[in-house]
Amino acid sequence: MERVKNIFWLIHLSVWVLFGLLVALQLGGEGSPGWGSTAAGFMATCLYIFYGHFALLTRTAGQKRNRDYWLCLAGIALTGPLPFLLLYPKAYDTGHYSMMLITAVPIFVFLAWLARVTENLVLNTIQKELLEKQAVEAELYYLKSQINPHFLFNTLNNIHTLVYKQAPAAPEAVMHLASLMRYMIYESNAATVPLTRELDYLRDYVSLQQLRYKPSPVVELQVEGETESCYIAPLLFIHLLENAYKHSPARLEPGDLKVRVQVHDGTLHFSVQNPVGKKATNPLEEPGGIGLPNVRKRLALLYPDQHALTIQNTGETFTVQLAIHGLQSPAYARKAHLLHH
């Protein structure tokens, strides 16, 4: 905000220097005697009227125009020609005073009002955008932080069991957990991440969930297309995968959970399908629990008019399909888009 104010003052300085040069060239070109004193007096009057009213408007910003304001404005208007008379003594007559009072005073009072209104409009717009940006970032941070804590506790318990039994899978499970936590805590703070890194995070999650099941993998993950050139908002798919586990039967067969990732012509297609569990659910609750509303909010914030989310529940399988367009762009481009909105 201070930088914007400094830019405004630089504009003020540039405009006044240019205006002063024009006045000096005009009076000097006429060859009138004492043109230097005339130019200096005229500039002093203009500056006094402009910044007198400008400062008055700044001091009374956000207030109603009361009697004190109008009295101060009248004082500035009536004394406006005095700097001209002081610097150009030959103008000591009522004609010069009246001319300045009629011409210079109303013009520069209006210009001061116009400058103050313009600056207020620009500053208020920037302030509003900053507040909206902060609100968006706060909401995104909250939505990203809603990773199921029970998963972490269950994973630690499973790893503890593996370590206690001295199972060969224990070191690998620890590495998967370390990679997952590193991504969640550090890498996910970026506006976007490579899709390949997001997929590595999903693989770590699947590997840790697999500790609950028999050796055959219950998740069938297929990746197609040029994922290396695609960037995505971090932690966007994890809620969909969490819900697939949460709302599946307790016993899962190999390949029951199907995850598809495809990138084609800058469009990312992501789908996850799981069998529907037999346990009773709250009919008022949207299928998928809190994960889908979470994803919907993030998509609306990050990819407005750029995505399509479809849900299909056949009674036997639950499928979520997500398409996001225009993702083959570097991370800084996505960040600039987010700041703009």
PDB file of all heavy atoms in Angstrom, residues 288-315:
ATOM      1  N   GLY A 288     -20.212 -39.479   0.350  1.00  0.00           N
ATOM      2  CA  GLY A 288     -18.825 -39.040   0.358  1.00  0.00           C
ATOM      3  C   GLY A 288     -18.469 -38.216   1.561  1.00  0.00           C
ATOM      4  O   GLY A 288     -17.316 -37.846   1.722  1.00  0.00           O
ATOM      5  N   GLY A 289     -19.424 -37.896   2.431  1.00  0.00           N
ATOM      6  CA  GLY A 289     -19.101 -37.167   3.657  1.00  0.00           C
ATOM      7  C   GLY A 289     -18.675 -35.739   3.387  1.00  0.00           C
ATOM      8  O   GLY A 289     -19.143 -35.087   2.462  1.00  0.00           O
ATOM      9  N   ILE A 290     -17.746 -35.225   4.214  1.00  0.00           N
ATOM     10  CA  ILE A 290     -17.335 -33.824   4.104  1.00  0.00           C
ATOM     11  C   ILE A 290     -16.311 -33.610   2.991  1.00  0.00           C
ATOM     12  O   ILE A 290     -16.016 -32.477   2.634  1.00  0.00           O
ATOM     13  CB  ILE A 290     -16.730 -33.328   5.429  1.00  0.00           C
ATOM     14  CG1 ILE A 290     -15.418 -34.062   5.736  1.00  0.00           C
ATOM     15  CG2 ILE A 290     -17.725 -33.463   6.563  1.00  0.00           C
ATOM     16  CD1 ILE A 290     -14.652 -33.482   6.890  1.00  0.00           C
ATOM     17  N   GLY A 291     -15.765 -34.684   2.426  1.00  0.00           N
ATOM     18  CA  GLY A 291     -14.709 -34.539   1.440  1.00  0.00           C
ATOM     19  C   GLY A 291     -15.168 -33.829   0.177  1.00  0.00           C
ATOM     20  O   GLY A 291     -14.483 -32.961  -0.347  1.00  0.00           O
ATOM     21  N   LEU A 292     -16.343 -34.213  -0.347  1.00  0.00           N
ATOM     22  CA  LEU A 292     -16.819 -33.613  -1.587  1.00  0.00           C
ATOM     23  C   LEU A 292     -17.142 -32.132  -1.437  1.00  0.00           C
ATOM     24  O   LEU A 292     -16.769 -31.340  -2.311  1.00  0.00           O
ATOM     25  CB  LEU A 292     -18.032 -34.392  -2.102  1.00  0.00           C
ATOM     26  CG  LEU A 292     -17.709 -35.778  -2.665  1.00  0.00           C
ATOM     27  CD1 LEU A 292     -18.974 -36.488  -3.107  1.00  0.00           C
ATOM     28  CD2 LEU A 292     -16.745 -35.657  -3.821  1.00  0.00           C
ATOM     29  N   PRO A 293     -17.840 -31.688  -0.393  1.00  0.00           N
ATOM     30  CA  PRO A 293     -18.009 -30.233  -0.221  1.00  0.00           C
ATOM     31  C   PRO A 293     -16.683 -29.493  -0.121  1.00  0.00           C
ATOM     32  O   PRO A 293     -16.540 -28.381  -0.641  1.00  0.00           O
ATOM     33  CB  PRO A 293     -18.809 -30.130   1.084  1.00  0.00           C
ATOM     34  CG  PRO A 293     -19.538 -31.412   1.191  1.00  0.00           C
ATOM     35  CD  PRO A 293     -18.614 -32.446   0.614  1.00  0.00           C
ATOM     36  N   ASN A 294     -15.718 -30.125   0.526  1.00  0.00           N
ATOM     37  CA  ASN A 294     -14.392 -29.526   0.628  1.00  0.00           C
ATOM     38  C   ASN A 294     -13.779 -29.333  -0.751  1.00  0.00           C
ATOM     39  O   ASN A 294     -13.286 -28.253  -1.092  1.00  0.00           O
ATOM     40  CB  ASN A 294     -13.508 -30.432   1.487  1.00  0.00           C
ATOM     41  CG  ASN A 294     -12.136 -29.831   1.755  1.00  0.00           C
ATOM     42  OD1 ASN A 294     -11.485 -29.336   0.862  1.00  0.00           O
ATOM     43  ND2 ASN A 294     -11.707 -29.896   2.996  1.00  0.00           N
ATOM     44  N   VAL A 295     -13.816 -30.398  -1.567  1.00  0.00           N
ATOM     45  CA  VAL A 295     -13.248 -30.318  -2.910  1.00  0.00           C
ATOM     46  C   VAL A 295     -13.997 -29.289  -3.746  1.00  0.00           C
ATOM     47  O   VAL A 295     -13.394 -28.528  -4.510  1.00  0.00           O
ATOM     48  CB  VAL A 295     -13.280 -31.705  -3.573  1.00  0.00           C
ATOM     49  CG1 VAL A 295     -12.850 -31.608  -5.035  1.00  0.00           C
ATOM     50  CG2 VAL A 295     -12.375 -32.673  -2.826  1.00  0.00           C
ATOM     51  N   ARG A 296     -15.309 -29.252  -3.629  1.00  0.00           N
ATOM     52  CA  ARG A 296     -16.100 -28.282  -4.396  1.00  0.00           C
ATOM     53  C   ARG A 296     -15.691 -26.845  -4.069  1.00  0.00           C
ATOM     54  O   ARG A 296     -15.569 -26.002  -4.959  1.00  0.00           O
ATOM     55  CB  ARG A 296     -17.586 -28.476  -4.100  1.00  0.00           C
ATOM     56  CG  ARG A 296     -18.224 -29.641  -4.835  1.00  0.00           C
ATOM     57  CD  ARG A 296     -19.734 -29.469  -4.854  1.00  0.00           C
ATOM     58  NE  ARG A 296     -20.380 -30.561  -5.564  1.00  0.00           N
ATOM     59  CZ  ARG A 296     -20.940 -31.613  -5.012  1.00  0.00           C
ATOM     60  NH1 ARG A 296     -20.924 -31.739  -3.692  1.00  0.00           N
ATOM     61  NH2 ARG A 296     -21.523 -32.546  -5.733  1.00  0.00           N
ATOM     62  N   LYS A 297     -15.482 -26.551  -2.792  1.00  0.00           N
ATOM     63  CA  LYS A 297     -15.085 -25.200  -2.395  1.00  0.00           C
ATOM     64  C   LYS A 297     -13.723 -24.837  -2.976  1.00  0.00           C
ATOM     65  O   LYS A 297     -13.526 -23.723  -3.488  1.00  0.00           O
ATOM     66  CB  LYS A 297     -15.054 -25.090  -0.868  1.00  0.00           C
ATOM     67  CG  LYS A 297     -16.423 -25.085  -0.212  1.00  0.00           C
ATOM     68  CD  LYS A 297     -16.298 -24.959   1.294  1.00  0.00           C
ATOM     69  CE  LYS A 297     -17.653 -24.978   1.974  1.00  0.00           C
ATOM     70  NZ  LYS A 297     -17.527 -24.869   3.458  1.00  0.00           N
ATOM     71  N   ARG A 298     -12.782 -25.762  -2.885  1.00  0.00           N
ATOM     72  CA  ARG A 298     -11.446 -25.476  -3.414  1.00  0.00           C
ATOM     73  C   ARG A 298     -11.476 -25.307  -4.926  1.00  0.00           C
ATOM     74  O   ARG A 298     -10.804 -24.438  -5.481  1.00  0.00           O
ATOM     75  CB  ARG A 298     -10.474 -26.589  -3.032  1.00  0.00           C
ATOM     76  CG  ARG A 298     -10.161 -26.644  -1.550  1.00  0.00           C
ATOM     77  CD  ARG A 298      -8.939 -27.502  -1.300  1.00  0.00           C
ATOM     78  NE  ARG A 298      -7.738 -26.886  -1.854  1.00  0.00           N
ATOM     79  CZ  ARG A 298      -6.604 -27.547  -2.075  1.00  0.00           C
ATOM     80  NH1 ARG A 298      -6.533 -28.832  -1.800  1.00  0.00           N
ATOM     81  NH2 ARG A 298      -5.569 -26.930  -2.567  1.00  0.00           N
ATOM     82  N   LEU A 299     -12.240 -26.132  -5.612  1.00  0.00           N
ATOM     83  CA  LEU A 299     -12.339 -25.998  -7.061  1.00  0.00           C
ATOM     84  C   LEU A 299     -12.959 -24.660  -7.453  1.00  0.00           C
ATOM     85  O   LEU A 299     -12.530 -24.021  -8.423  1.00  0.00           O
ATOM     86  CB  LEU A 299     -13.166 -27.148  -7.637  1.00  0.00           C
ATOM     87  CG  LEU A 299     -12.515 -28.533  -7.622  1.00  0.00           C
ATOM     88  CD1 LEU A 299     -13.531 -29.600  -8.022  1.00  0.00           C
ATOM     89  CD2 LEU A 299     -11.304 -28.571  -8.540  1.00  0.00           C
ATOM     90  N   ALA A 300     -13.983 -24.233  -6.695  1.00  0.00           N
ATOM     91  CA  ALA A 300     -14.614 -22.951  -7.004  1.00  0.00           C
ATOM     92  C   ALA A 300     -13.652 -21.788  -6.791  1.00  0.00           C
ATOM     93  O   ALA A 300     -13.700 -20.783  -7.510  1.00  0.00           O
ATOM     94  CB  ALA A 300     -15.860 -22.769  -6.137  1.00  0.00           C
ATOM     95  N   LEU A 301     -12.760 -21.916  -5.807  1.00  0.00           N
ATOM     96  CA  LEU A 301     -11.793 -20.857  -5.533  1.00  0.00           C
ATOM     97  C   LEU A 301     -10.620 -20.873  -6.505  1.00  0.00           C
ATOM     98  O   LEU A 301     -10.148 -19.820  -6.942  1.00  0.00           O
ATOM     99  CB  LEU A 301     -11.272 -20.987  -4.095  1.00  0.00           C
ATOM    100  CG  LEU A 301     -12.267 -20.674  -2.977  1.00  0.00           C
ATOM    101  CD1 LEU A 301     -11.692 -21.094  -1.632  1.00  0.00           C
ATOM    102  CD2 LEU A 301     -12.613 -19.198  -2.962  1.00  0.00           C
ATOM    103  N   LEU A 302     -10.164 -22.070  -6.848  1.00  0.00           N
ATOM    104  CA  LEU A 302      -8.940 -22.190  -7.643  1.00  0.00           C
ATOM    105  C   LEU A 302      -9.198 -22.271  -9.144  1.00  0.00           C
ATOM    106  O   LEU A 302      -8.413 -21.746  -9.935  1.00  0.00           O
ATOM    107  CB  LEU A 302      -8.168 -23.440  -7.202  1.00  0.00           C
ATOM    108  CG  LEU A 302      -7.598 -23.405  -5.787  1.00  0.00           C
ATOM    109  CD1 LEU A 302      -7.139 -24.789  -5.373  1.00  0.00           C
ATOM    110  CD2 LEU A 302      -6.451 -22.417  -5.703  1.00  0.00           C
ATOM    111  N   TYR A 303     -10.273 -22.926  -9.540  1.00  0.00           N
ATOM    112  CA  TYR A 303     -10.525 -23.142 -10.965  1.00  0.00           C
ATOM    113  C   TYR A 303     -11.957 -22.739 -11.337  1.00  0.00           C
ATOM    114  O   TYR A 303     -12.741 -23.570 -11.797  1.00  0.00           O
ATOM    115  CB  TYR A 303     -10.279 -24.608 -11.319  1.00  0.00           C
ATOM    116  CG  TYR A 303      -8.896 -25.092 -10.981  1.00  0.00           C
ATOM    117  CD1 TYR A 303      -8.672 -25.926  -9.884  1.00  0.00           C
ATOM    118  CD2 TYR A 303      -7.801 -24.703 -11.743  1.00  0.00           C
ATOM    119  CE1 TYR A 303      -7.391 -26.359  -9.572  1.00  0.00           C
ATOM    120  CE2 TYR A 303      -6.522 -25.135 -11.436  1.00  0.00           C
ATOM    121  CZ  TYR A 303      -6.328 -25.959 -10.339  1.00  0.00           C
ATOM    122  OH  TYR A 303      -5.065 -26.378 -10.032  1.00  0.00           O
ATOM    123  N   PRO A 304     -12.330 -21.499 -11.143  1.00  0.00           N
ATOM    124  CA  PRO A 304     -13.695 -21.076 -11.520  1.00  0.00           C
ATOM    125  C   PRO A 304     -13.881 -21.173 -13.031  1.00  0.00           C
ATOM    126  O   PRO A 304     -13.010 -20.775 -13.796  1.00  0.00           O
ATOM    127  CB  PRO A 304     -13.755 -19.627 -11.024  1.00  0.00           C
ATOM    128  CG  PRO A 304     -12.337 -19.168 -10.982  1.00  0.00           C
ATOM    129  CD  PRO A 304     -11.523 -20.379 -10.623  1.00  0.00           C
ATOM    130  N   ASP A 305     -15.006 -21.737 -13.448  1.00  0.00           N
ATOM    131  CA  ASP A 305     -15.334 -21.898 -14.873  1.00  0.00           C
ATOM    132  C   ASP A 305     -14.260 -22.685 -15.622  1.00  0.00           C
ATOM    133  O   ASP A 305     -14.086 -22.520 -16.825  1.00  0.00           O
ATOM    134  CB  ASP A 305     -15.516 -20.528 -15.539  1.00  0.00           C
ATOM    135  CG  ASP A 305     -16.573 -19.687 -14.855  1.00  0.00           C
ATOM    136  OD1 ASP A 305     -17.597 -20.264 -14.460  1.00  0.00           O
ATOM    137  OD2 ASP A 305     -16.362 -18.469 -14.720  1.00  0.00           O
ATOM    138  N   GLN A 306     -13.562 -23.543 -14.908  1.00  0.00           N
ATOM    139  CA  GLN A 306     -12.445 -24.264 -15.515  1.00  0.00           C
ATOM    140  C   GLN A 306     -12.481 -25.751 -15.161  1.00  0.00           C
ATOM    141  O   GLN A 306     -11.541 -26.470 -15.467  1.00  0.00           O
ATOM    142  CB  GLN A 306     -11.134 -23.636 -15.029  1.00  0.00           C
ATOM    143  CG  GLN A 306      -9.939 -23.822 -15.946  1.00  0.00           C
ATOM    144  CD  GLN A 306      -8.701 -23.129 -15.405  1.00  0.00           C
ATOM    145  OE1 GLN A 306      -8.789 -22.181 -14.627  1.00  0.00           O
ATOM    146  NE2 GLN A 306      -7.538 -23.605 -15.805  1.00  0.00           N
ATOM    147  N   HIS A 307     -13.554 -26.187 -14.526  1.00  0.00           N
ATOM    148  CA  HIS A 307     -13.607 -27.572 -14.076  1.00  0.00           C
ATOM    149  C   HIS A 307     -15.022 -28.123 -14.188  1.00  0.00           C
ATOM    150  O   HIS A 307     -15.988 -27.360 -14.319  1.00  0.00           O
ATOM    151  CB  HIS A 307     -13.147 -27.674 -12.617  1.00  0.00           C
ATOM    152  CG  HIS A 307     -14.123 -27.104 -11.637  1.00  0.00           C
ATOM    153  ND1 HIS A 307     -14.217 -25.761 -11.354  1.00  0.00           N
ATOM    154  CD2 HIS A 307     -15.100 -27.700 -10.881  1.00  0.00           C
ATOM    155  CE1 HIS A 307     -15.163 -25.551 -10.477  1.00  0.00           C
ATOM    156  NE2 HIS A 307     -15.723 -26.715 -10.177  1.00  0.00           N
ATOM    157  N   ALA A 308     -15.097 -29.442 -14.130  1.00  0.00           N
ATOM    158  CA  ALA A 308     -16.389 -30.133 -14.103  1.00  0.00           C
ATOM    159  C   ALA A 308     -16.275 -31.314 -13.153  1.00  0.00           C
ATOM    160  O   ALA A 308     -15.364 -32.141 -13.291  1.00  0.00           O
ATOM    161  CB  ALA A 308     -16.778 -30.608 -15.503  1.00  0.00           C
ATOM    162  N   LEU A 309     -17.187 -31.384 -12.180  1.00  0.00           N
ATOM    163  CA  LEU A 309     -17.186 -32.454 -11.180  1.00  0.00           C
ATOM    164  C   LEU A 309     -18.511 -33.200 -11.275  1.00  0.00           C
ATOM    165  O   LEU A 309     -19.576 -32.601 -11.119  1.00  0.00           O
ATOM    166  CB  LEU A 309     -17.005 -31.875  -9.774  1.00  0.00           C
ATOM    167  CG  LEU A 309     -16.954 -32.889  -8.622  1.00  0.00           C
ATOM    168  CD1 LEU A 309     -15.704 -33.746  -8.721  1.00  0.00           C
ATOM    169  CD2 LEU A 309     -17.000 -32.162  -7.272  1.00  0.00           C
ATOM    170  N   THR A 310     -18.443 -34.500 -11.558  1.00  0.00           N
ATOM    171  CA  THR A 310     -19.656 -35.312 -11.675  1.00  0.00           C
ATOM    172  C   THR A 310     -19.574 -36.479 -10.700  1.00  0.00           C
ATOM    173  O   THR A 310     -18.499 -37.033 -10.462  1.00  0.00           O
ATOM    174  CB  THR A 310     -19.829 -35.852 -13.111  1.00  0.00           C
ATOM    175  OG1 THR A 310     -18.683 -36.620 -13.471  1.00  0.00           O
ATOM    176  CG2 THR A 310     -19.994 -34.710 -14.097  1.00  0.00           C
ATOM    177  N   ILE A 311     -20.731 -36.848 -10.149  1.00  0.00           N
ATOM    178  CA  ILE A 311     -20.820 -37.916  -9.146  1.00  0.00           C
ATOM    179  C   ILE A 311     -21.902 -38.892  -9.587  1.00  0.00           C
ATOM    180  O   ILE A 311     -22.990 -38.490 -10.015  1.00  0.00           O
ATOM    181  CB  ILE A 311     -21.170 -37.330  -7.761  1.00  0.00           C
ATOM    182  CG1 ILE A 311     -20.115 -36.309  -7.334  1.00  0.00           C
ATOM    183  CG2 ILE A 311     -21.289 -38.432  -6.724  1.00  0.00           C
ATOM    184  CD1 ILE A 311     -20.510 -35.510  -6.119  1.00  0.00           C
ATOM    185  N   GLN A 312     -21.594 -40.165  -9.475  1.00  0.00           N
ATOM    186  CA  GLN A 312     -22.550 -41.211  -9.859  1.00  0.00           C
ATOM    187  C   GLN A 312     -22.569 -42.298  -8.794  1.00  0.00           C
ATOM    188  O   GLN A 312     -21.527 -42.844  -8.431  1.00  0.00           O
ATOM    189  CB  GLN A 312     -22.168 -41.812 -11.219  1.00  0.00           C
ATOM    190  CG  GLN A 312     -23.176 -42.842 -11.728  1.00  0.00           C
ATOM    191  CD  GLN A 312     -22.785 -43.406 -13.076  1.00  0.00           C
ATOM    192  OE1 GLN A 312     -21.669 -43.181 -13.554  1.00  0.00           O
ATOM    193  NE2 GLN A 312     -23.690 -44.143 -13.712  1.00  0.00           N
ATOM    194  N   ASN A 313     -23.763 -42.579  -8.296  1.00  0.00           N
ATOM    195  CA  ASN A 313     -23.951 -43.613  -7.281  1.00  0.00           C
ATOM    196  C   ASN A 313     -24.986 -44.609  -7.793  1.00  0.00           C
ATOM    197  O   ASN A 313     -26.168 -44.296  -7.885  1.00  0.00           O
ATOM    198  CB  ASN A 313     -24.409 -42.982  -5.966  1.00  0.00           C
ATOM    199  CG  ASN A 313     -24.454 -43.993  -4.830  1.00  0.00           C
ATOM    200  OD1 ASN A 313     -24.141 -45.173  -5.009  1.00  0.00           O
ATOM    201  ND2 ASN A 313     -24.845 -43.542  -3.650  1.00  0.00           N
ATOM    202  N   THR A 314     -24.534 -45.805  -8.155  1.00  0.00           N
ATOM    203  CA  THR A 314     -25.441 -46.821  -8.698  1.00  0.00           C
ATOM    204  C   THR A 314     -26.044 -47.703  -7.620  1.00  0.00           C
ATOM    205  O   THR A 314     -26.874 -48.553  -7.918  1.00  0.00           O
ATOM    206  CB  THR A 314     -24.682 -47.701  -9.706  1.00  0.00           C
ATOM    207  OG1 THR A 314     -23.653 -48.422  -9.021  1.00  0.00           O
ATOM    208  CG2 THR A 314     -24.051 -46.848 -10.808  1.00  0.00           C
ATOM    209  N   GLY A 315     -25.612 -47.502  -6.375  1.00  0.00           N
ATOM    210  CA  GLY A 315     -26.040 -48.387  -5.302  1.00  0.00           C
ATOM    211  C   GLY A 315     -25.022 -49.474  -5.032  1.00  0.00           C
ATOM    212  O   GLY A 315     -24.962 -50.001  -3.917  1.00  0.00           O
TER     213      GLY A 315
END
